[in-house]
Amino acid sequence: MTHHQQQPDQAAANLLARVRGQAPDIRANVRRLAAFANVHACPTAAVAFAARVDTNRVLAGTSMEMPYGQSPFAIGRGVAFEALLRRHGHAELRRVLTVGLATDFTFAAIENLREGYPPNRAGLRMRATVTQTRMAEIAGRPAEPVVLDGAVLQADIGGLPAYFEADEMAIGVGGQIIVGENKSWPVVDGKPTDEDALGAALDQAATYVLLGRRTLEHAGVDPALMSDSIVLVTPRNTGLAPSLHRQDVASRIRRIERLLGAVPDIRETAKSTPASVTFDVVADTTRPEGVRMEAFRQVTDELGRVYEPASCLTSCGFAWACRQCLFAAGDPDLVGGAVARALPGIASLSRVAELGQGAPASTAEVPAAVPLARAGRLYDEIVPAPVPPTAPPTAPTPTPTPDDTPRRTA
Ligand code: SF4
């Protein structure tokens, strides 16, 4: 059965809806997939991903809600740039594609799939069907180039169908299909101003190439017609004038393929998730913060955490809350797995400090206690012990001089 024909297991989907409770849900998208890849070893993150829980918004209204999303300025710039590309019958997009791909797009058929379809899941499904049909037509070498603006690709993510919306997905040139992405961050003197944003954009485009190949395969068309090289359309320098950059993303396509294959299956996740686990209370904004945080602690204690400060803080909306749970428990995992693994048999960070000061170790603590005591002695040698503050010397009482004698004023 192909990924297009696979049906989600309704029982599993229902179970995960219960896990989600009133927590805000989120559609799978490329950014979310990439973020999940960074924390996929964590059982809580895996259940939240499978249940489509939006980890950025579950803790809304608490002090543990992390800042997320783009700045309003970046969003405004993105909207303005997209509008510029589409203005006057996509005149700017035609110009930049003509220059960048050495093919005349003046009379290209540009089909805007963002218009004319309902803005919901049914609309995405319809657009995915049209995209597949048009891609097969492009592969048949039409007389003029073709551009699909807002193409939609379907994927199976861990057993549930997901839809991915691309920008100029499927630019047809001589039977070859090229993925295009519009980004509004500037490229100054040929260099992107934000390397992270460039990496994310290339990952996004690589995902579309991979899904495009699967779509072609499903339509009975040679998937090799999807090009390994994609185009990025970005503003040049600080203005909004568009320019085009071609990039090879073959290695990223392979990485994304491995990533998609590693997403836990919804049926397996549902089977292994205890019946008591739900984010319902955690997300309940009518409850006091203390109640919500206690519910969060219980859920994450039950599922388990794999806390790695670097990846959690950049890729999971639960990072501050997990860090707080670990801090409150004095859990060595607070400092990350690499350090925690070097402390086998030690229950808390305060115990680490005691052993570092030479406290007698229990049998279970011995492997870590010896290097800790050595580290403690080294620390004491290098960092001088603080000198206890001494009382300041008492100043002698000055003998009053004739000038110090209080004078009375008449
Ligand atoms: S922040 Fe917490 S839930 Fe998220 S990946 Fe890290 S340990 Fe897991």
Side-chain angles (χ1 to χ4, degrees):
M1 193 180 272
T2 72
H3 68 289
H4 284 266
Q5 294 159 331
Q6 194 167 17
Q7 290 302 314
D9 181 325
Q10 199 52 49
N14 290 345
L15 189 70
L16 290 175
R18 183 187 58 68
V19 168
R20 196 167 59 240
Q22 59 184 297
D25 65 345
I26 189 169
R27 270 191 13 221
N29 58 37
V30 176
R31 205 174 298 140
R32 183 144 164 67
L33 257 183
F36 175 65
N38 290 334
V39 294
H40 71 277
C42 172
T44 296
V47 169
F49 185 84
R52 305 295 189 260
V53 170
D54 185 349
T55 60
N56 286 320
R57 294 193 294 145
V58 174
L59 295 161
T62 73
S63 56
M64 294 296 128
E65 180 187 14
M66 295 177 67
Y68 71 97
Q70 279 186 302
S71 79
F73 300 109
I75 293 171
R77 187 176 163 85
V79 169
F81 187 59
E82 293 278 349
L84 173 75
L85 290 171
R86 297 200 176 91
R87 198 178 300 156
H88 307 309
H90 291 79
E92 272 299 301
L93 182 64
R94 288 175 195 276
R95 180 190 66 75
V96 80
L97 290 177
T98 300
V99 173
L101 293 177
T103 301
D104 190 357
F105 279 78
T106 311
F107 301 107
I110 298 187
E111 187 166 358
N112 190 350
L113 297 182
R114 294 171 210 275
E115 291 172 0
Y117 297 92
N120 53 24
R121 208 169 167 76
L124 287 173
R125 211 175 300 125
M126 290 157 76
R127 287 167 62 186
T129 306
V130 174
T131 299
Q132 181 177 313
T133 309
R134 296 286 182 269
M135 285 175 71
E137 286 168 10
I138 292 170
R141 294 175 168 264
E144 300 290 350
V146 175
V147 177
L148 296 184
D149 182 354
V152 170
L153 296 160
Q154 187 189 334
D156 177 278
I157 306 291
L160 283 178
Y163 296 93
F164 293 81
E165 189 177 11
D167 287 339
E168 290 88 46
M169 169 68 208
I171 303 166
V173 183
Q176 200 185 30
I177 299 174
I178 303 167
V179 165
E181 253 316 281
N182 306 332
K183 293 295 169 197
S184 63
W185 32 261
V187 173
V188 178
D189 294 333
K191 291 202 176 72
T193 50
D194 185 341
E195 289 287 345
D196 288 346
L198 172 67
L202 295 178
D203 275 350
Q204 203 174 340
T207 307
Y208 299 146
V209 176
L210 178 67
L211 300 185
R213 286 192 175 146
R214 291 180 178 175
T215 301
L216 287 179
E217 218 170 0
H218 182 66
V221 177
D222 180 5
L225 292 175
M226 284 299 295
S227 173
D228 270 345
S229 77
I230 58 92
V231 296
L232 281 183
V233 180
T234 69
R236 188 189 304 118
N237 299 332
T238 48
L240 278 185
S243 62
L244 183 144
H245 319 266
R246 201 131 186 212
Q247 291 265 356
D248 186 285
V249 292
S251 61
R252 288 176 188 268
I253 296 169
R254 289 193 291 276
R255 189 172 62 78
I256 302 274
E257 190 160 26
R258 284 197 300 275
L259 177 59
L260 282 175
V263 172
D265 188 278
I266 184 177
R267 290 156 286 250
E268 297 305 316
T269 311
K271 255 189 253 163
S272 60
T273 304
S276 54
V277 165
T278 175
F279 287 96
D280 194 58
V281 176
V282 185
D284 187 346
T285 52
T286 64
R287 307 243 195 170
E289 174 163 341
V291 173
R292 294 173 65 189
M293 289 311 302
E294 176 54 21
F296 178 84
R297 188 193 61 72
Q298 283 175 12
V299 169
T300 47
D301 275 359
E302 182 139 25
L303 291 173
R305 310 177 196 90
V306 175
Y307 185 78
E308 295 291 348
S311 48
C312 290
L313 285 164
T314 55
S315 305
C316 183
F318 290 160
W320 287 0
C322 282
R323 186 176 60 179
Q324 178 59 31
C325 291
L326 295 169
F327 181 78
D331 192 322
D333 282 346
L334 180 67
V335 284
V339 180
R341 279 191 292 281
L343 302 168
I346 301 188
S348 69
L349 285 172
S350 55
R351 187 64 187 144
V352 171
E354 285 169 13
L355 292 170
Q357 286 159 7
S362 69
T363 313
E365 291 169 338
V366 166
V370 174
L372 275 174
R374 198 183 308 131
R377 283 195 300 275
L378 193 62
Y379 182 86
D380 289 344
E381 276 171 36
I382 293 171
V383 182
V387 181
T390 48
T394 323
T397 314
T399 314
T401 61
D403 277 355
D404 289 334
T405 311
R407 291 184 189 132
R408 287 173 62 110
T409 49

